[in-house]
Amino acid sequence: MNRLRVLLLKEWRESMRNKMVLFGVIFLPVILVATSVYMITLGDGADDPVGQIILFNTSLMYFLLLPAIIPLAIAVYSIVGEKEQTTLEPLLATPISDLELFLGKALASVIPALVVNWISFGAFLGIIRLLVGSVPLQTLTAPWLASIFGLSPLLALFSVGITMIVSSRASDARAAYQFSSLAILPGIIPLVVYSSSKTLVDLRLIILEGGVLVVACVAVMYFAIRLFRREQILTRWK
Amino acid sequence: MITTQNLTRRFGALTAVDSLDLHVDKGEVFGFLGPNGAGKTTTVRMLAALIAPTSGEATIAGNELGIHNRSIRRRVGVLTETPGLYRRLSAQDNLLFFARLYQIAEPMAQVERYLKLFDLWERRAAPAGSYSKGMRQKLAIARALLHEPEILFLDEPTAGLDPEAAKTVRDLIETLRSDERTIFLCTHNLDEADRLCDRVALFKTRLITTGRPQELREQMYGRRTVVHLANYRAGIENQVDLPFVKHIDVVDERLVVSLDDPEAENPALVKRLVELGADVQFVTELRVSLEDMYLDLMEANDESS
C-alpha cells in the first residue's frame, strides 16, 4: 500500500472517531440540505421573483459553504490534533516524504468535502423532486452546475490551504478553527452581493470567482507547502 | 554505525550543537547524557535525518546524512520524548499505520509479534488513550522497533514513569541489546545509564567526554579500596608502609586506600593491616556514582567555559 493511501486511511479512521469532525461532516450537510429544501418548497409557486432569487441564491450559497467548512473541520483536527498528541515527530521519522505528508493531509480533507457536497446536492434535488414532483430548472443551470462541480473543489482547496497555514501556527484547535473560518468568505461574499442586488447568479460571476480562486489557491498552496517541510514543522511550528 | 564530524546546528544566534565528533559501534548501547537544553534532542533529530545540520558531516548505518536521508529514516527507529500515539486509535491500529508507512512485507504479522512481545496483545483493541503511561511507552517502543531498525534512538525512555514501568522499559532495552542493535540512549537517569550503557558521552552543546563509565571513573578518581575496621586505631594509616599504596584517607573510621591495581594489591594490603593489629571486617571498592562524576564534569565544564 503506498504511503499516501496509508496516511489517508489513517486520517479518515481518526476523523470518524472525532465528534467535532463528525458533526461537520454529517450533521451540517443534513441541516443545510433540509434548510435548502424547506426554502425551495416554501417558494414553489409563489409569485415573487425577488424572493425566488434570494431563495435560490441562498440555497446555492449553502452548497458553496459545505466544501469550505467540511475540510476546515477535518484539517484543523488533523494538524492541531497531531500537535496535541505529539505524533508529528514519530510520523516525520518514517520514510514518508514531505509531499506525501502534505498531500495526505490536504486530500484527507478535500475528498470527503467534495463527496459530501455532491451527495448533499444529489439528496437536495432528489428530496425536492419527491416533495414538489419536479426539480426546479434554476438548480440545473450552467451557473449552478459550474458552482457545484467547478467552484466547490477550488473552495475546498482554498479552505484546506488556509487551515494548514493557520494550524501550523496554532496550538489550540478552537483558535485554529476560528481563524480558519475566514476561508469560507470567498464562497459567500459574491452570492450575498448578488442577492442584495436582487440578481440571480450568472455564469459570469462563477467564472470570475473561479479565476480569483485559482490564483488564491496557487498562492495559499505555495505557502502551505513551504510550511510542510520536516525542518519547518519541527523547528518553527508552535 | 554512527559517525559524526564537526556536526553543528544553529538556530539563529543560538548554537544548539557545536562541532560534535562521535563514533558509535554496531551493537553498542551508547548513553548520551546532558542537562535539559544541552542539545540532546537536536542531536537525535539530526542523526535521525529529521532536521539538517548547519555544518559538519555524519554517516548513519552507512548512509551519508543530507544525501540519503530517506534511507537513514528506514534504518533508524526513534522513540521521542513523549510517546506520541494516536489516542483515538487502538494500539493495533497505531502500529499498523506505522508498519504500512515503513512498507513492512507482512504488517499484521509484525504488529502481532510486537504486541505479544511487549505484552499488549490482550489490550490491542483498546484506544491508545486509555493505556497507562507505562503501556503507552511500551507501545511507542514497539512502534520504533516495528521495521527492525539497525539503530534505535531512545530519548528519555523512562522519564515520567513509575519505578515498575521504568524497570519494564529498562528490561526491554536489555533485551534489545542482545539483538545486536545499536541503541543511542538520551537520558537524565544516570543510574540507568550506568546499568545499561557500554559507553557514555557527557554533552552540553559540546562533547565534554566519552568513554566506558568505569574507565571514566578511573580516569577521574583512580581506583580506591575501602577497608572497614572493627576498632579503628588512630594513626594506623601512617603505618601502612607498602610501596603500591598511593594515598590513604580516613573517612568515618574507614580507610580509603588509593591503589593502581586493587585486584593484585588488596591481599597484601589486608595482610599488612592484620600484621598491624587491625581487625578487618570488610574490604570493598569505592565506586563513585556516575551522578557524582557527571556533576563534577559539568561543574568543571561550566568553570572552563
Side-chain angles (χ1 to χ4, degrees), chain A residues 76 79-84 88 162-180 227 236-238:
Chain A
V76 161
I79 297 167
V80 181
E82 294 264 12
K83 287 187 195 178
E84 285 174 347
L88 271 171
I162 292 285
T163 308
M164 284 175 147
I165 292 168
V166 171
S167 298
S168 73
R169 297 286 165 210
S171 52
D172 174 59
R174 276 169 297 185
Y177 202 92
Q178 282 166 3
F179 280 110
S180 303
L227 281 172
R236 298 280 174 88
W237 281 27
K238 285 178 183 169

Short mmCIF file of all heavy atoms in Angstrom, two decimals, chain A residues 76 79-84 88 162-180 227 236-238:
data_model
loop_
_atom_site.label_atom_id
_atom_site.label_comp_id
_atom_site.label_asym_id
_atom_site.label_seq_id
_atom_site.Cartn_x
_atom_site.Cartn_y
_atom_site.Cartn_z
N VAL A 76 -8.26 21.06 10.56
CA VAL A 76 -7.86 21.61 11.87
C VAL A 76 -7.52 20.49 12.83
O VAL A 76 -6.46 20.47 13.44
CB VAL A 76 -8.98 22.50 12.47
CG1 VAL A 76 -8.77 22.68 13.96
CG2 VAL A 76 -9.01 23.85 11.79
N ILE A 79 -4.32 18.45 11.85
CA ILE A 79 -2.99 19.05 12.07
C ILE A 79 -2.80 19.42 13.53
O ILE A 79 -1.81 19.02 14.15
CB ILE A 79 -2.80 20.28 11.15
CG1 ILE A 79 -2.83 19.81 9.69
CG2 ILE A 79 -1.48 20.97 11.46
CD1 ILE A 79 -2.96 20.90 8.69
N VAL A 80 -3.76 20.16 14.10
CA VAL A 80 -3.61 20.53 15.52
C VAL A 80 -3.68 19.27 16.38
O VAL A 80 -3.00 19.15 17.39
CB VAL A 80 -4.66 21.58 15.94
CG1 VAL A 80 -4.47 21.97 17.40
CG2 VAL A 80 -4.56 22.82 15.06
N GLY A 81 -4.49 18.29 15.93
CA GLY A 81 -4.58 17.03 16.66
C GLY A 81 -3.22 16.33 16.72
O GLY A 81 -2.84 15.78 17.74
N GLU A 82 -2.49 16.35 15.61
CA GLU A 82 -1.14 15.74 15.60
C GLU A 82 -0.24 16.47 16.60
O GLU A 82 0.56 15.85 17.29
CB GLU A 82 -0.51 15.84 14.21
CG GLU A 82 -1.19 15.06 13.13
CD GLU A 82 -0.59 13.69 12.85
OE1 GLU A 82 0.24 13.23 13.67
OE2 GLU A 82 -0.98 13.08 11.84
N LYS A 83 -0.41 17.80 16.64
CA LYS A 83 0.43 18.57 17.58
C LYS A 83 0.06 18.23 19.02
O LYS A 83 0.93 18.01 19.85
CB LYS A 83 0.20 20.06 17.38
CG LYS A 83 0.79 20.64 16.15
CD LYS A 83 0.59 22.14 16.26
CE LYS A 83 0.80 22.85 14.99
NZ LYS A 83 0.55 24.28 15.14
N GLU A 84 -1.25 18.21 19.29
CA GLU A 84 -1.70 17.96 20.66
C GLU A 84 -1.29 16.58 21.14
O GLU A 84 -0.97 16.38 22.30
CB GLU A 84 -3.22 18.13 20.76
CG GLU A 84 -3.65 19.57 20.72
CD GLU A 84 -5.16 19.75 20.67
OE1 GLU A 84 -5.89 18.76 20.41
OE2 GLU A 84 -5.63 20.88 20.86
N LEU A 88 3.54 14.19 15.58
CA LEU A 88 4.20 14.66 14.35
C LEU A 88 5.61 14.11 14.21
O LEU A 88 6.02 13.69 13.13
CB LEU A 88 4.23 16.19 14.31
CG LEU A 88 3.00 16.84 13.67
CD1 LEU A 88 3.03 18.34 13.89
CD2 LEU A 88 2.89 16.53 12.19
N ILE A 162 -5.65 27.49 3.67
CA ILE A 162 -5.71 28.47 4.78
C ILE A 162 -5.63 27.75 6.13
O ILE A 162 -4.90 28.15 7.03
CB ILE A 162 -7.04 29.29 4.70
CG1 ILE A 162 -7.05 30.19 3.46
CG2 ILE A 162 -7.27 30.10 5.97
CD1 ILE A 162 -6.19 31.42 3.54
N THR A 163 -6.41 26.66 6.25
CA THR A 163 -6.42 25.92 7.52
C THR A 163 -5.04 25.37 7.85
O THR A 163 -4.61 25.38 9.01
CB THR A 163 -7.45 24.77 7.46
OG1 THR A 163 -8.69 25.31 7.04
CG2 THR A 163 -7.62 24.13 8.82
N MET A 164 -4.34 24.87 6.84
CA MET A 164 -3.00 24.33 7.07
C MET A 164 -2.05 25.42 7.55
O MET A 164 -1.25 25.21 8.47
CB MET A 164 -2.45 23.69 5.79
CG MET A 164 -3.06 22.33 5.51
SD MET A 164 -2.49 21.70 3.95
CE MET A 164 -2.46 19.95 4.31
N ILE A 165 -2.15 26.58 6.95
CA ILE A 165 -1.27 27.69 7.35
C ILE A 165 -1.59 28.11 8.78
O ILE A 165 -0.71 28.25 9.62
CB ILE A 165 -1.41 28.88 6.37
CG1 ILE A 165 -0.85 28.49 4.99
CG2 ILE A 165 -0.69 30.12 6.90
CD1 ILE A 165 -1.18 29.47 3.88
N VAL A 166 -2.89 28.30 9.04
CA VAL A 166 -3.30 28.74 10.39
C VAL A 166 -2.94 27.67 11.43
O VAL A 166 -2.39 27.97 12.49
CB VAL A 166 -4.82 29.04 10.42
CG1 VAL A 166 -5.29 29.28 11.85
CG2 VAL A 166 -5.14 30.26 9.56
N SER A 167 -3.21 26.40 11.10
CA SER A 167 -2.98 25.32 12.06
C SER A 167 -1.50 25.17 12.40
O SER A 167 -1.15 24.75 13.50
CB SER A 167 -3.51 24.00 11.53
OG SER A 167 -4.89 24.08 11.34
N SER A 168 -0.64 25.48 11.45
CA SER A 168 0.79 25.35 11.71
C SER A 168 1.23 26.34 12.79
O SER A 168 2.23 26.14 13.46
CB SER A 168 1.60 25.57 10.43
OG SER A 168 1.60 26.93 10.08
N ARG A 169 0.47 27.41 12.93
CA ARG A 169 0.83 28.45 13.91
C ARG A 169 0.00 28.35 15.20
O ARG A 169 0.25 29.11 16.13
CB ARG A 169 0.61 29.85 13.31
CG ARG A 169 1.48 30.15 12.12
CD ARG A 169 2.90 30.40 12.57
NE ARG A 169 3.80 30.32 11.43
CZ ARG A 169 5.06 29.94 11.50
NH1 ARG A 169 5.58 29.58 12.64
NH2 ARG A 169 5.83 29.90 10.43
N ALA A 170 -1.00 27.48 15.20
CA ALA A 170 -1.88 27.42 16.37
C ALA A 170 -1.62 26.16 17.17
O ALA A 170 -1.26 25.12 16.62
CB ALA A 170 -3.33 27.42 15.90
N SER A 171 -1.75 26.28 18.49
CA SER A 171 -1.58 25.09 19.32
C SER A 171 -2.92 24.64 19.89
O SER A 171 -2.99 23.65 20.59
CB SER A 171 -0.60 25.38 20.44
OG SER A 171 -0.98 26.54 21.13
N ASP A 172 -3.98 25.38 19.55
CA ASP A 172 -5.29 25.06 20.07
C ASP A 172 -6.28 24.93 18.91
O ASP A 172 -6.35 25.80 18.04
CB ASP A 172 -5.73 26.19 21.03
CG ASP A 172 -7.14 26.00 21.52
OD1 ASP A 172 -7.41 24.96 22.11
OD2 ASP A 172 -7.97 26.90 21.27
N ALA A 173 -7.00 23.82 18.90
CA ALA A 173 -7.89 23.53 17.77
C ALA A 173 -8.98 24.60 17.61
O ALA A 173 -9.29 25.00 16.49
CB ALA A 173 -8.53 22.16 17.95
N ARG A 174 -9.52 25.08 18.75
CA ARG A 174 -10.60 26.06 18.64
C ARG A 174 -10.12 27.37 18.03
O ARG A 174 -10.80 27.97 17.20
CB ARG A 174 -11.24 26.30 20.01
CG ARG A 174 -12.30 25.27 20.33
CD ARG A 174 -12.73 25.36 21.75
NE ARG A 174 -11.60 25.08 22.66
CZ ARG A 174 -11.72 25.00 23.97
NH1 ARG A 174 -12.86 25.20 24.53
NH2 ARG A 174 -10.67 24.71 24.71
N ALA A 175 -8.92 27.79 18.46
CA ALA A 175 -8.36 29.03 17.91
C ALA A 175 -8.10 28.87 16.41
O ALA A 175 -8.43 29.76 15.60
CB ALA A 175 -7.07 29.38 18.63
N ALA A 176 -7.56 27.72 16.04
CA ALA A 176 -7.29 27.46 14.62
C ALA A 176 -8.59 27.46 13.84
O ALA A 176 -8.66 28.00 12.73
CB ALA A 176 -6.57 26.12 14.48
N TYR A 177 -9.62 26.87 14.42
CA TYR A 177 -10.92 26.78 13.77
C TYR A 177 -11.48 28.18 13.51
O TYR A 177 -11.98 28.49 12.42
CB TYR A 177 -11.86 25.98 14.67
CG TYR A 177 -13.03 25.37 13.94
CD1 TYR A 177 -12.96 24.08 13.44
CD2 TYR A 177 -14.20 26.08 13.76
CE1 TYR A 177 -14.03 23.53 12.77
CE2 TYR A 177 -15.28 25.53 13.09
CZ TYR A 177 -15.19 24.25 12.60
OH TYR A 177 -16.24 23.70 11.93
N GLN A 178 -11.37 29.05 14.53
CA GLN A 178 -11.92 30.40 14.40
C GLN A 178 -11.21 31.20 13.31
O GLN A 178 -11.84 31.81 12.45
CB GLN A 178 -11.82 31.14 15.73
CG GLN A 178 -12.91 30.69 16.70
CD GLN A 178 -12.66 31.12 18.12
OE1 GLN A 178 -11.68 31.83 18.39
NE2 GLN A 178 -13.49 30.70 19.03
N PHE A 179 -9.88 31.14 13.33
CA PHE A 179 -9.12 31.91 12.31
C PHE A 179 -9.36 31.34 10.91
O PHE A 179 -9.50 32.07 9.95
CB PHE A 179 -7.64 31.89 12.64
CG PHE A 179 -7.26 32.89 13.70
CD1 PHE A 179 -6.87 32.49 14.97
CD2 PHE A 179 -7.30 34.25 13.42
CE1 PHE A 179 -6.54 33.41 15.95
CE2 PHE A 179 -6.97 35.19 14.40
CZ PHE A 179 -6.58 34.77 15.66
N SER A 180 -9.40 29.99 10.83
CA SER A 180 -9.55 29.36 9.52
C SER A 180 -10.93 29.62 8.93
O SER A 180 -11.12 29.50 7.72
CB SER A 180 -9.31 27.86 9.63
OG SER A 180 -8.05 27.59 10.16
N LEU A 227 5.44 25.47 4.34
CA LEU A 227 5.36 25.22 5.79
C LEU A 227 5.42 23.74 6.11
O LEU A 227 5.74 23.35 7.22
CB LEU A 227 4.04 25.77 6.34
CG LEU A 227 3.98 27.26 6.57
CD1 LEU A 227 2.55 27.67 6.91
CD2 LEU A 227 4.89 27.66 7.73
N ARG A 236 9.83 25.28 13.60
CA ARG A 236 9.11 26.56 13.54
C ARG A 236 7.67 26.47 14.00
O ARG A 236 7.11 27.47 14.45
CB ARG A 236 9.13 27.11 12.11
CG ARG A 236 10.53 27.40 11.59
CD ARG A 236 11.01 28.73 12.13
NE ARG A 236 12.40 28.98 11.77
CZ ARG A 236 12.78 29.58 10.66
NH1 ARG A 236 11.89 29.96 9.80
NH2 ARG A 236 14.06 29.77 10.42
N TRP A 237 7.07 25.29 13.85
CA TRP A 237 5.66 25.19 14.21
C TRP A 237 5.51 25.37 15.71
O TRP A 237 6.35 24.91 16.48
CB TRP A 237 5.10 23.83 13.80
CG TRP A 237 4.76 23.73 12.35
CD1 TRP A 237 5.33 24.44 11.34
CD2 TRP A 237 3.80 22.87 11.75
NE1 TRP A 237 4.78 24.06 10.13
CE2 TRP A 237 3.84 23.09 10.36
CE3 TRP A 237 2.91 21.93 12.25
CZ2 TRP A 237 3.01 22.41 9.47
CZ3 TRP A 237 2.10 21.24 11.37
CH2 TRP A 237 2.15 21.49 9.99
N LYS A 238 4.42 25.99 16.09
CA LYS A 238 4.18 26.19 17.53
C LYS A 238 3.42 25.01 18.09
O LYS A 238 2.60 24.41 17.43
CB LYS A 238 3.38 27.47 17.75
CG LYS A 238 4.23 28.70 17.58
CD LYS A 238 3.39 29.94 17.76
CE LYS A 238 4.21 31.20 17.52
NZ LYS A 238 3.38 32.40 17.45
#
